[in-house]
Amino acid sequence: MTDIPPKLPADDTPSQDARYKPPAKFSKPKPPVLPKRFLLLLVEPEKWAQAAMYPASVTFWPLVWAMIIAGLCMGFSTSAGSIKPLQEFAATYDQHFLPVQLDKGQLSIIRPKGPTKLIPMTVQTPMETVLADPALAGAATLATHPFIVLLDRNSVVLTGSNWSSPWLIMPMAQLQREIVAVNGLLKPSLARSVPTDQLPAVILDSKTLPPLMPLISLILGLASIPAYVLWFCVWTVLMVFLTGFVVRSINRSIGMPLKVAWRISMAVMIPLLVLRGLLAAFGVVPALNPSPITDQIIYMAPIALALWAAVLANRKFSKPSGPGRRKP
């Protein structure tokens, strides 16, 4: 009788090479709610790596929040930093510029009869140009500077070569009401309710401008917010694209796709955006014209943080889990 070899137990069935590691699963349902998710991404580096487990939209909305918060902080910094230069400008206005009159909600420039060296108001700042030109009736599109706060005959608008279409900041009648109120010509409640054609005419000069400077600084800050948000969008897209390849290369052994690596890169940008805004808001790093070294450190920081997040992701997803994974 021929001996029949015994069957191998099911547990002894030859398996795949122990060195083989199947690709990690980068998906997990039910992410934390948006406010909690945003806070966790700010304070816990491990959450940057965990962003790989969720769809890109889960990290996208905290990233939008971070851009808005950073833009608001930068606008606040611009507004606060402009008060002192504006006060100096108001005190010396009569030495450089022609007086401007606001009457019945319209702007006009008062020109002397004889020759003068004074010119219509044209102020160049690091962020924008402030220009008074009543000849430009209505919202005008100019291309002489990236951003221009233009006082035309009827309104105050934001325009310039980097602005697709003029954006109304306020009607000239509203500006006249504010000047009348801050200079005590009418009570604030009355200045805001009286018909425009009954408002007292006011002249912008070294006497009436100083009380108006806080409002002007606020306008400059608000007008700068869209520019900062736009710049943060450009910075974020560039850094996410570049650092995504770094994250994927470090996690190639666990089969991380590029689109998953980009999720981690998006998460890394969230604390950096908020930090940049807070540094400006508290005056640690100015919103405009920081030192070249500081500028380079800030805007290249995503590379270092992406390396950190990539290592955290590699440790997290390369750990063996489950009884089916054979140990070497």
Side-chain angles (χ1 to χ4, degrees), residues 64-259:
V64 172
W65 278 27
M67 289 184 187
I68 295 174
I69 292 173
L72 291 173
C73 289
M74 298 288 278
F76 170 80
S77 175
T78 299
S79 178
S82 65
I83 291 178
K84 184 177 179 179
L86 284 171
Q87 290 174 339
E88 295 174 352
F89 160 77
T92 60
Y93 181 91
D94 293 344
Q95 302 174 20
H96 305 285
F97 306 111
L98 294 169
V100 174
Q101 179 174 277
L102 301 182
D103 186 19
K104 298 181 179 179
Q106 292 189 332
L107 179 144
S108 60
I109 296 177
I110 301 175
R111 300 181 182 274
K113 296 180 180 179
T116 180
K117 295 182 179 180
L118 302 180
I119 61 173
M121 182 174 62
T122 305
V123 182
Q124 188 85 35
T125 73
M127 189 67 191
E128 62 261 307
T129 299
V130 182
L131 174 65
D133 190 348
L136 299 172
T141 302
L142 303 177
T144 55
H145 192 270
F147 294 98
I148 300 174
V149 178
L150 171 65
L151 286 74
D152 61 23
R153 184 177 300 278
N154 301 305
S155 56
V156 182
V157 299
L158 177 64
T159 182
S161 58
N162 285 2
W163 208 255
S164 57
S165 60
W167 177 54
L168 177 66
I169 297 177
M170 68 170 61
M172 194 59 64
Q174 181 180 347
L175 180 59
Q176 183 179 350
R177 294 178 189 277
E178 296 295 339
I179 298 171
V180 166
V182 298
N183 281 277
L185 301 179
L186 287 177
K187 293 182 178 180
S189 58
L190 184 59
R192 291 176 175 82
S193 61
V194 69
T196 302
D197 57 359
Q198 297 180 18
L199 286 170
V202 291
I203 296 177
L204 297 184
D205 55 18
S206 294
K207 295 180 180 179
T208 58
L209 277 174
L212 187 64
M213 290 303 102
L215 176 61
I216 299 299
S217 67
L218 177 61
I219 293 174
L220 292 177
L222 292 175
S224 68
I225 290 175
Y228 285 123
V229 173
L230 178 62
W231 163 240
F232 285 143
C233 288
V234 174
W235 178 40
T236 298
V237 170
L238 179 62
M239 287 294 103
V240 168
F241 178 78
L242 293 177
T243 58
F245 293 97
V246 176
V247 175
R248 185 184 65 167
S249 65
I250 293 176
N251 291 278
R252 189 180 297 274
S253 62
I254 59 175
M256 179 177 287
L258 181 58
K259 65 179 181 180

